[in-house]
Amino acid sequence: MGGPVKREQIARYRRQIMLGEVGQAGQQKLLDARVAVIGAGGLGSPALLYLAGAGVGHVLIIDDDVADLSNLHRQVIHTTDGVGRPKAESAREAMLALNPSVTVSVAVERLTWSNALSLLEGYDMILDGSDNFETRHIASWAAASLGVPHIWASILGFDAQLTVFHADHGPIYEDLFPTPPPAGSVPSCSQAGVLGPVVGVVGSSMAMEALKLITGVGRPLIGRLGYYSSMDGTWEYIPVVGNPAVVEMVRAKEVLAGSVSSETLDVPRVASVPSGVALVDVREPHEFAAYAIPGAVNVPLSTIRSGAVPDAVAAGGEVLVYCAAGVRSAQAVAILQEAGYGGMTSLDGGIEGWLDG
């Protein structure tokens, strides 16, 4: 623990120190705190800035991705000049520009089952802004193993969910989501779309939960799931009950770390769109209506799973199948191959890669 809050620190943080519930004692707790943040994307952007602004003494950013032009409308910690740079490093620069007195460490790597404990050990809590189910399960396992709170949120379209998991004190992630869904069955923000202010609201709320946990102010969202509807401007709160048996299963890694991914499917693939082939878009109709590769026909994966066969596939020609990023297209090709059809190739990177190419 540090000594009394210094004059220059009071000058910077005076507006929160003057809150009676915080005071100098609460500010000192913030200065001493160590918070690990998974993801410097939409949720991480506002959360990281507010953690730095509040004076959280040491923040670790874990992110293996690079900033992309399509990120910037919601990932406001990054700038146009930062496109192509590692998000963790770009976020660190923005945090230090806001508050040079905090310490920001970066891990430009993906959180995995093998590195999670070594990366996260010594941190007081984990703020999980990841965008995939495996990372969320890894974060949950690490938090339960280390005995620290796991602040979690998720965005889809105009809606969001937020809660605080804490093994032995309340529910954990697997009480809500025991196993990951099949790959491609739940759309990501890149597939379903998202408005920037939605992640701004919820990412800021994640930072608030962290500040509450650090200072002891207020009532953290342990045992309650906050559901935010941006279209209505409302929050609803749903009770969540934990099961001690689930905690022990998670600590023992008795959970599925993922389902069959597109990479494990043995299907033909290409990285670019060749000429002279029929194009089948297996995204949902609302995605197809937003933008598509010219000349493509929309046959959603959901209908292919129900037995639909695209006309071009049935005709036996050369067909390029694509989706948003290459997951659903690989699954569609595998399903149709299993049904006896050939001549299909999956577009790696999907339409998002085609747009960025």
Side-chain angles (χ1 to χ4, degrees):
M1 298 292 290
V5 179
K6 299 175 182 178
R7 177 179 175 180
E8 60 270 22
Q9 293 170 329
I10 293 175
R12 177 180 287 273
Y13 307 118
R14 72 184 99 173
R15 299 300 180 232
Q16 59 194 41
I17 290 174
M18 70 170 50
L19 294 168
E21 296 86 349
V22 178
Q24 291 197 31
Q27 185 61 53
Q28 188 60 59
K29 291 177 181 178
L30 293 169
L31 296 170
D32 293 334
R34 296 171 57 86
V35 177
V37 178
I38 304 170
L43 293 169
S45 288
L48 288 165
L49 289 172
Y50 277 113
L51 292 176
V56 172
H58 191 140
V59 177
L60 168 66
I61 308 171
I62 303 171
D63 196 311
D64 70 335
D65 199 6
V66 297
D68 180 84
L69 186 64
S70 66
N71 301 148
L72 302 185
H73 79 108
R74 67 193 184 280
Q75 299 180 14
V76 294
I77 202 168
H78 309 296
T79 67
T80 301
D81 288 341
V83 169
R85 294 190 58 213
K87 288 182 182 178
E89 295 179 359
S90 171
R92 179 180 183 272
E93 287 186 6
M95 293 170 70
L96 294 178
L98 175 65
N99 188 351
S101 67
V102 299
T103 299
V104 183
S105 301
V106 299
V108 185
E109 57 186 299
R110 180 174 290 271
L111 192 74
T112 66
W113 294 100
S114 59
N115 69 12
L117 293 184
S118 60
L119 282 174
L120 298 170
E121 188 174 9
Y123 288 88
D124 302 316
M125 64 195 65
I126 299 167
L127 195 153
D128 181 5
S130 61
D131 62 357
N132 67 87
F133 290 97
E134 183 175 28
T135 301
R136 293 167 185 166
H137 282 285
I138 295 170
S140 176
W141 165 72
S145 300
L146 297 170
V148 299
H150 172 202
I151 303 168
W152 169 83
S154 177
I155 303 287
L156 185 60
F158 298 101
D159 300 329
Q161 300 174 79
L162 167 72
T163 192
V164 178
F165 301 115
H166 196 180
D168 302 323
H169 298 272
I172 63 173
Y173 181 74
E174 285 74 13
D175 284 306
L176 282 178
F177 307 101
T179 59
S185 64
V186 178
S188 66
C189 287
S190 64
Q191 298 162 359
V194 63
L195 284 176
V198 180
V199 293
V201 168
V202 182
S204 299
S205 297
M206 295 177 81
M208 185 63 197
E209 292 302 310
L211 300 189
K212 286 157 61 178
L213 288 164
I214 294 166
T215 61
V217 168
R219 179 188 173 198
L221 275 176
I222 296 175
R224 294 178 295 150
L225 176 72
Y227 185 90
Y228 175 63
S229 169
S230 66
M231 298 298 277
D232 295 332
T234 57
W235 284 90
E236 296 181 11
Y237 297 92
I238 304 165
V240 182
V241 178
N243 183 345
V246 173
V247 175
E248 295 311 311
M249 290 176 62
V250 168
R251 284 175 173 155
K253 289 190 178 180
E254 294 177 7
V255 294
L256 294 177
S259 54
V260 177
S261 69
S262 65
E263 288 78 11
T264 65
L265 295 173
D266 184 18
V267 300
R269 306 166 186 275
V270 292
S272 59
V273 178
S275 60
V277 299
L279 296 169
V280 174
D281 185 322
V282 297
R283 298 176 299 157
E284 291 302 307
H286 72 275
E287 298 175 79
F288 183 77
Y291 49 85
I293 298 177
V297 174
N298 184 215
V299 185
L301 174 61
S302 55
T303 67
I304 292 174
R305 284 187 173 129
S306 299
V309 178
D311 291 342
V313 173
E318 294 296 316
V319 180
L320 179 67
V321 183
Y322 75 88
C323 59
V327 175
R328 286 174 286 177
S329 59
Q331 292 175 340
V333 170
I335 291 169
L336 292 166
Q337 284 180 332
E338 183 69 20
Y341 296 95
M344 297 163 291
T345 305
S346 173
L347 179 62
D348 272 349
I351 192 171
E352 299 299 329
W354 178 77
L355 287 169
D356 292 335

